[in-house]
Structure formats: structure tokens, C-alpha cells
């Protein structure tokens, strides 16, 4: 195997995700994990958990992560990449600390980490790095060897992430009648976050109105619009919109909300909308409820035709992209030159999160960054 196809120095890959309940009895404990430290009473958690109860108390994210694990292992095996793949979550089993403990006991000392969040933000990057540091501190306190962890770069503009979404939009457009398709709009959706968190997302030089979080989503939206235009001859009107707001009403969050946007488009006489959830790796609860249930019901109330395009999920092209990211980072760690695949205007993201990148709400140690206590 050539040096550019050798994953060394890495001896394992960790899939790091959010986690979700897998039955009705799990919902409240899961939400208690998510909201730990905020003093939210159990009755309120039951109310918040109503989305999960509509689906039998099961979040699809865990099954989707298992499918992604299978896709990664299959791709690695087919391409001769001898790298075991593990999975750990922030908020539900398999818990990150348990997985890292298992990896340390198995002798893994240099771990590449793939987070199931493609963009820069506190909750999508820095918080995962804090989780890693917390878990590593537990291992250290238990007297276990603490592995080095390197988080793979943001992959929002990697071809293996973008191309499946392009095909998803094309497939949704094809479901519309010719008349609907001629006047269709594209609504690119992502998770709303507080405007203050968006403005400080990414490296310090990216801070400002919307920060890296908004800039990265806009770049992906433009890529998809251009690719769709190249294959259909039509440049569809589009907008980046937001969903899944969960904060206090007095705190400004990114807008417009998808339901408000659908109402506005209907008022303008738009016949159909394709909702493209570019901010989500897979069809987890916020896609199934906020788009497939809530936004779709809003569209039905308006008499507006909507289609929701597919997320990337366990697409083989995404698994291949992860392999590419691992080998790219391995080459960098060995001082070798290797092409860094990235589409659009922003280029490949940084490998090492710099100081001040997606700053924390409160000072906490974070792994896999320039200020990491575990270098």
C-alpha cells in the first residue's frame, strides 16, 4: 500500500453522534441527558418528547448510524483500508465515554473522529470536542491510557456529501407535474441556532453576520442550485431557511422558519416547493417531524405542493468521502501532499480548530483543537 493509501498514524475511526431514544421508556431519560444542568422538570420533558412519542418513542438516528457504520466498514474493506470503526454518542447508548474506554482497552492510541455534523457551529463541532475532552478525562482518572483523537475536517463541501443531495433534489423535482416543476422553488433547510452562536461560528476571521455556519450552508445551496441547473437547464429560485428552533422566544434565532417561508411562497403564488434538508446528514427526528410532519401539514393547509428531498445517510459516495477524509488527514500528519477535495468558493476546511473557533458558552477543555489539553 502506498503512503497515500495508508491510514497510519490512525489505528481506528470513531463515528461520533448525538444519539436518540430507542423506545418510549427512553424518551424522558434521553431528554434529561440532552438538557442536563438546565433544571427542566420531568413534565416539561414529557411535553418536549411528544415528537418522539408520535414515532413510538424511537429516534431513527441510531438505526441510521448503524447503517452508516456498515457502509463505512464495507467501503474500507473493499478498498483495503485496515481501520476498525467504532461508534459513540453524546446523549444515549452507546455513550462516548464507554466507546473510548473500549477503544483504549483494545490498544487504540491514535483515533480519527467523524462527527455527524458537516458544518461549523458550537453544537456541531466545539461541543463534540468538549465531549471528547470530558471522556478522555474520565479515562485518565481511571488510569487508562488516553488516546489522541483528531477530528476530521468539516465535510459540507466534499463532493461525496454534495452529490447525493443534488440527486435528491433532482428526484424530488421529477415527482412534480410539469406545471408545478416550471414554477417550483427550492427551500434549503438547516437547524436554526441563536444568531449570536451563528455570528461566532468558525474561526475568528469568519465571525460576523451569520459566521461560518450561514456562509457554509449558502455555499452548499449554491452548489446544488448550479448542479441542478446544469442537468435541467433551469436555475430554480431558492432560499436558505431554518427549522427546529427550541430556544426562548426573546432570544434571536436564525430565520425565516420553514413554515413561515412556505406561507410566504404560497402568498406569492408559487405552485410547489422542494424542501432540501442540507443541514442534516440523515433523516433523523428533526427531519421526520419538523419537515415530513409539521411543514408538510402546513403545506397541506395552504394547498401548496411540497416534496422533501433525501439526506445523504449511508450513501456509498458519503462512505467513500469519509475514507478520503481519513486518508487526507493521515497524509497531512505524515507530512505528505494529498489533494483536498472541496467544491464551491470556501475550499477545504481546517484540520485543527484554531483558538476562538466556535467559542464555548462557558470555558471548558476541548480536544482536537489548537488549545486542546490532549495534544
Amino acid at each position: 500500500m502506498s503512503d497515500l493509501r495508508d491510514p497510519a498514524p490512525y489505528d481506528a475511526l470513531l463515528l461520533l453522534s448525538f444519539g436518540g431514544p430507542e423506545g418510549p421508556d427512553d424518551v424522558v431519560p434521553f431528554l434529561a441527558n440532552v438538557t442536563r444542568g438546565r433544571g427542566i422538570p420531568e413534565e416539561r420533558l414529557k411535553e418536549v418528547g411528544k415528537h418522539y412519542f408520535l414515532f413510538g418513542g424511537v429516534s431513527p438516528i441510531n438505526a441510521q448510524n448503524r447503517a452508516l457504520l456498515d457502509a463505512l466498514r464495507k467501503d474500507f474493506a473493499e478498498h483495503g483500508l485496515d481501520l476498525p470503526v467504532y461508534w459513540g454518542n453524546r446523549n444515549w447508548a452507546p455513550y462516548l465515554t464507554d466507546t473510548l474506554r473500549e477503544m483504549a482497552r483494545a490498544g487504540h492510541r491514535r483515533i480519527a473522529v467523524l462527527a455527524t455534523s458537516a458544518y461549523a457551529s458550537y453544537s456541531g463541532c466545539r461541543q463534540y470536542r468538549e465531549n471528547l475532552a470530558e471522556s478522555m478525562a474520565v479515562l485518565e482518572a481511571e488510569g487508562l491510557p488516553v488516546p489522541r483523537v483528531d477530528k476530521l475536517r468539516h465535510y459540507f463541501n466534499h463532493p461525496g456529501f454534495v452529490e447525493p443531495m443534488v440527486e435528491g433534489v433532482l428526484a424530488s423535482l421529477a415527482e412534480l407535474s410539469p406545471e408545478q416543476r416550471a414554477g417550483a422553488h427550492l427551500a434549503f433547510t438547516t437547524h436554526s441556532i441563536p444568531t449570536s452562536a451563528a455570528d461566532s461560528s468558525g474561526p475568528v476571521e469568519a465571525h460576523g453576520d451569520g459566521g461560518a455556519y450561514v456562509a457554509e450552508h449558502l455555499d452548499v445551496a449554491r452548489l446544488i442550485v448550479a448542479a441542478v441547473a446544469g442537468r435541467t437547464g433551469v436555475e430554480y429560485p431558492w432560499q436558505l431557511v431554518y427549522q427546529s428552533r427550541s430556544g426562548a422566544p426573546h432570544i434571536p434565532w436564525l430565520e425565516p422558519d420553514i413554515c413561515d417561508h412556505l406561507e410566504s411562497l404560497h402568498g406569492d403564488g408559487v405552485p410547489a416547493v422542494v424542501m432540501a434538508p442540507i443541514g442534516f446528514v440523515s433523516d433523523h427526528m428533526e427531519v421526520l417531524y419538523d419537515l415530513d410532519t409539521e411543514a408538510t401539514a402546513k403545506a397541506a393547509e395552504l394547498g401548496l405542493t411540497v416534496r422533501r428531498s433525501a439526506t445523504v445517510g449511508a450513501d456509498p459516495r458519503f462512505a467513500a468521502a469519509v475514507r478520503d477524509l481519513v486518508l487526507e488527514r493521515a497524509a497531512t500528519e505524515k507530512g505528505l501532499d494529498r489533494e483536498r477535495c472541496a467544491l464551491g468558493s470556501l475550499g477545504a476546511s481546517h484540520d485543527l480548530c484554531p483558538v476562538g473557533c466556535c467559542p464555548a458558552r462557558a470555558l471548558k477543555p476541548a480536544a482536537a483543537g489548537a488549545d486542546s489539553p490532549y495534544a
Side-chain angles (χ1 to χ4, degrees):
M1 181 182 292
S2 71
D3 287 342
L4 291 177
R5 295 188 60 196
D6 181 1
Y10 299 110
D11 54 29
L13 173 69
L14 168 64
L15 177 65
L16 177 56
S17 194
F18 192 81
E22 300 205 69
D25 293 342
D26 295 344
V27 173
V28 171
F30 162 73
L31 291 172
N33 286 342
V34 174
T35 60
R36 183 177 288 113
R38 302 182 203 174
I40 298 177
E42 182 174 328
E43 288 307 309
R44 175 59 181 156
L45 294 179
K46 290 178 181 177
E47 174 66 20
V48 172
K50 65 183 181 182
H51 300 171
Y52 292 97
F53 291 122
L54 287 174
F55 294 87
V58 179
S59 168
I61 192 171
N62 289 337
Q64 290 159 9
N65 279 328
R66 292 184 186 102
L68 180 55
L69 281 172
D70 289 343
L72 291 171
R73 288 165 178 159
K74 181 175 185 290
D75 178 90
F76 287 7
E78 289 176 348
H79 291 84
L81 201 67
D82 184 15
L83 200 68
V85 185
Y86 292 77
W87 169 36
N89 290 323
R90 172 187 293 167
N91 296 305
W92 202 249
Y95 288 103
L96 172 60
T97 300
D98 295 337
T99 300
L100 276 179
R101 184 184 293 114
E102 177 187 357
M103 296 176 81
R105 287 174 173 165
H108 297 297
R109 299 293 177 263
R110 192 76 184 270
I111 299 167
V113 179
L114 176 78
T116 55
S117 176
Y119 300 86
S121 71
Y122 172 76
S123 58
C125 183
R126 170 86 193 194
Q127 191 173 10
Y128 281 121
R129 294 175 48 227
E130 292 175 355
N131 298 148
L132 285 164
E134 290 168 0
S135 295
M136 292 161 77
V138 171
L139 266 59
E140 188 174 41
E142 293 174 351
L144 291 171
V146 179
R148 173 169 167 175
V149 296
D150 290 336
K151 182 176 176 291
L152 299 176
R153 67 174 171 91
H154 300 302
Y155 47 85
F156 63 93
N157 56 3
H158 194 287
F161 185 69
V162 174
E163 180 58 28
M165 293 191 291
V166 171
E167 291 192 359
V169 171
L170 288 167
S172 292
L173 286 167
E175 294 176 2
L176 302 174
S177 70
E179 295 77 15
Q180 292 171 334
R181 193 159 55 246
H185 280 232
L186 309 180
F188 295 103
T189 76
T190 191
H191 205 301
S192 185
I193 61 175
T195 56
S196 58
D199 293 347
S200 61
S201 57
V204 172
E205 59 269 21
H207 293 181
D209 188 15
Y213 185 75
V214 172
E216 290 169 1
H217 282 87
L218 287 172
D219 211 40
V220 171
R222 293 187 191 103
L223 284 167
I224 296 172
V225 169
V228 168
R231 298 182 203 184
T232 65
V234 180
E235 185 169 331
Y236 287 92
W238 63 276
Q239 186 168 337
L240 177 65
V241 299
Y242 302 93
Q243 61 175 93
S244 313
R245 175 182 172 137
S246 59
H250 67 281
I251 298 175
W253 281 51
L254 293 173
E255 296 178 335
D257 177 77
I258 178 61
C259 290
D260 294 337
H261 184 58
L262 293 177
E263 192 162 359
S264 176
L265 291 178
H266 173 67
D268 291 340
V270 171
V273 179
V274 171
M275 302 182 294
I278 62 173
F280 304 92
V281 172
S282 64
D283 290 2
H284 56 67
M285 187 57 70
E286 287 164 322
V287 176
L288 291 188
Y289 182 80
D290 296 332
L291 293 184
D292 293 356
T293 304
E294 191 173 51
T296 299
K298 180 65 174 179
E301 173 191 319
L302 296 168
L304 175 64
T305 297
V306 292
R307 295 291 184 271
R308 197 268 291 173
S309 65
T311 53
V312 172
D315 190 288
R317 288 165 293 187
F318 182 45
V322 175
R323 169 170 43 87
D324 180 66
L325 291 170
V326 170
L327 293 176
E328 171 198 288
R329 184 63 182 273
T332 298
E333 293 299 310
K334 292 191 287 263
L336 303 174
D337 290 327
R338 193 177 191 277
E339 180 185 4
R340 297 169 65 84
C341 292
L343 303 173
S345 63
L346 298 180
S349 186
H350 51 263
D351 283 332
L352 193 68
C353 290
V355 175
C357 191
C358 302
R361 299 163 188 170
L363 283 177
K364 286 185 179 180
D371 55 354
S372 172
Y374 297 100

